[in-house]
Amino acid sequence: MIPQSADSIAGLFDQPAQAAVTNRDAVVQLYELLTECLTTPVLMPQLTSDSPDSQLLSRCWDFVDRIVAHSSVYVRGAAHFEGWNRF
């Protein structure tokens, strides 16, 4: 959903992003994944930009909506931990 996070994901898990997000380690390191691969490198720069990419922000919020609505309380909890439930 957010290709701009692919390099960060690959770096965090030391493997291509597509493989990393389906790896069990992605769930174990969910908070790091969200902080180091989405919030810090992608979302926050857009929110503080004078000319944010509205399509990118829309994809980010769609992703956040999916996290908040996830069936796993652990995954939903990550969104609350990140403070995304306030947006």
Side-chain angles (χ1 to χ4, degrees):
M1 288 182 71
I2 307 166
Q4 292 81 350
S5 65
D7 288 342
S8 297
I9 293 169
L12 179 64
F13 294 100
D14 202 27
Q15 60 181 301
Q18 287 184 336
V21 295
T22 59
N23 187 323
R24 187 168 195 203
D25 289 342
V27 174
V28 174
Q29 294 180 298
L30 184 57
Y31 295 99
E32 290 173 297
L33 174 71
L34 295 174
T35 300
E36 295 178 25
C37 301
L38 177 64
T39 304
T40 300
V42 180
L43 185 57
M44 292 311 296
Q46 288 300 311
L47 292 175
T48 58
S49 172
D50 290 335
S51 56
D53 181 334
S54 61
Q55 289 180 340
L56 175 56
L57 282 173
S58 180
R59 288 194 317 274
C60 287
W61 296 134
D62 287 345
F63 180 74
V64 169
D65 286 343
R66 288 180 184 214
I67 296 263
V68 171
H70 198 277
S71 62
S72 166
V73 70
Y74 177 74
V75 174
R76 286 192 314 267
H80 291 278
F81 181 77
E82 288 295 319
W84 292 342
N85 58 320
R86 290 182 246 161
F87 289 106

